Amino acid sequence: MFGLFKSNPSKKLRKTYDMKLEQAMHAQRKGDIKTYSMLTAEAEKIWAEIQEIEGKEK
C-alpha cells in the first residue's frame, strides 16, 4: 500500500540513459565521432547502474 508513493530510482536513470543515447546518435549523424564515443561511454555507465539497481530489487 505504501509502495505507491515510493519513487523508482531506475526510472530516472532510464530517462537519462535514453537522452544520452539520443545525443550520441545526433553527434554521430553530424560526424562528431569523439563526442559520440564519449556519450556512448556515459550511457554504458548509466546502463550498468540501472542493471545494478534492478538486480537489487529482485
Side-chain angles (χ1 to χ4, degrees):
M1 178 173 154
F2 293 108
L4 175 68
F5 299 110
K6 210 177 215 184
S7 66
N8 188 353
S10 66
K11 185 176 181 181
K12 184 177 181 181
L13 283 174
R14 280 187 182 271
K15 193 172 193 178
T16 305
Y17 172 75
D18 290 337
M19 187 176 67
K20 288 287 181 186
L21 285 180
E22 186 174 348
Q23 289 173 349
M25 177 193 66
H26 290 298
Q28 185 182 29
R29 286 185 178 174
K30 289 179 183 178
D32 190 359
I33 302 303
K34 185 176 181 180
T35 303
Y36 165 74
S37 62
M38 288 176 20
L39 289 170
T40 304
E42 290 177 21
E44 288 177 4
K45 289 178 186 177
I46 293 170
W47 183 252
E49 290 179 36
I50 292 169
Q51 293 298 320
E52 184 179 324
I53 290 171
E54 289 180 353
K56 289 180 182 178
E57 289 177 355
K58 290 185 179 182

